[in-house]
Amino acid sequence: MTSGDEGRFILVPDMAELLSMTDSTQDPGPEARITPRLIDALYTEAMILADEARAYFDEAGRDDRQSLEPYARVGFACESLKVTTRIMHIVAWLLTQRAVESGELRAIEGRRPERRLGHANESDPLVVAQLPEAAQRLIRASADLYSRIQRLDEGQLAGEPAPSPARALMGRLERDLIWNRGA
C-alpha cells in the first residue's frame, strides 16, 4: 500500500439491493438468500484487503514496526495475525457461499457448523491505539468486513432449530476420516 493508497478500501453496494427473498426447494420455508453479486463484491473486497494487509505488514510496515517500543512491537505482530485470520475466515466462508450458489453444495450443507464463519479474536483497543495509523486502518477494515460477514452468516440461521452438538461432532469426525484416509 503506497502513501497515496492509505485509507482506500472498496465499498460494498447497498446490502438491501443485493439480498433477495426466495423459497428453496431443498430446504423448507423462506430464507434470505445471499446473491452471487454480493458474494463477488465481498470476495473482491476481501482479496483487496488481503493484498493491502500483506503489503503493509510484510513490507511497508517493517519500518513502522521497528520504530515501536518492544511491547507495541509484539502487539503489532499479534494484530497482523488477527487481520490475517479474519480475512482467512472471510474468504473460506465466501468460497462456501460460492459453492452453494453454483450447486456444488446444498444450502443446508453450507450452513453446517464446520462450514460457518470461523471464530476470529477481537482486537484490543489499547494495543491498537499504540500502532501506526496505517496498521489501525487495516485492523478496523478487517474487523468491519468480518462483522458484516458475521451478520450474514448469522442471518442464514434465523428461524432454524438450534444445531445439534452431536451432528457437529459427527461432521468433524467424517471430515477427519476423509482427510486421514490417504495417511
Side-chain angles (χ1 to χ4, degrees):
M1 177 166 57
T2 64
S3 61
D5 292 334
E6 291 178 7
R8 177 187 61 83
F9 297 105
I10 192 167
L11 296 176
V12 175
D14 180 20
M15 293 289 183
E17 171 188 341
L18 297 173
L19 292 175
S20 66
M21 292 301 287
T22 184
D23 285 319
S24 173
T25 57
Q26 298 173 348
D27 301 77
E31 67 178 28
R33 191 170 75 80
I34 299 172
T35 67
R37 184 173 166 198
L38 175 62
I39 295 167
D40 289 343
L42 290 169
Y43 185 80
T44 299
E45 182 177 359
M47 296 310 289
I48 289 170
L49 183 59
D51 187 55
E52 290 174 348
R54 184 210 48 82
Y56 177 74
F57 288 117
D58 288 348
E59 298 166 7
R62 282 191 174 147
D63 292 335
D64 288 346
R65 182 179 60 229
Q66 294 306 321
S67 69
L68 297 171
E69 295 296 320
Y71 177 77
R73 215 175 299 147
V74 171
F76 185 95
C78 291
E79 290 302 323
S80 72
L81 290 172
K82 288 178 184 179
V83 167
T84 302
T85 300
R86 284 183 199 118
I87 295 170
M88 175 193 70
H89 287 309
I90 290 165
V91 169
W93 187 86
L94 289 167
L95 290 173
T96 296
Q97 301 313 305
R98 279 185 169 177
V100 168
E101 283 299 321
S102 71
E104 292 177 50
L105 287 176
R106 292 183 338 176
I108 197 160
E109 292 169 340
R111 290 190 302 266
R112 289 180 63 169
E114 63 272 14
R115 295 188 191 262
R116 297 206 39 229
L117 183 64
H119 173 73
N121 291 327
E122 293 184 21
S123 294
D124 182 345
L126 298 175
V127 172
V128 174
Q130 297 176 25
L131 302 180
E133 183 58 35
Q136 290 182 28
R137 277 193 296 276
L138 287 167
I139 293 164
R140 282 191 304 266
S142 71
D144 175 65
L145 181 57
Y146 183 85
S147 176
R148 288 184 281 143
I149 296 294
Q150 190 173 35
R151 284 191 303 270
L152 291 172
D153 182 51
E154 290 168 358
Q156 288 183 325
L157 299 177
E160 285 190 6
S164 162
R167 282 201 193 277
L169 177 60
M170 287 299 295
R172 287 193 303 273
L173 289 172
E174 287 173 2
R175 187 179 66 236
D176 289 345
L177 287 172
I178 290 170
W179 283 103
N180 292 327
R181 259 194 189 153

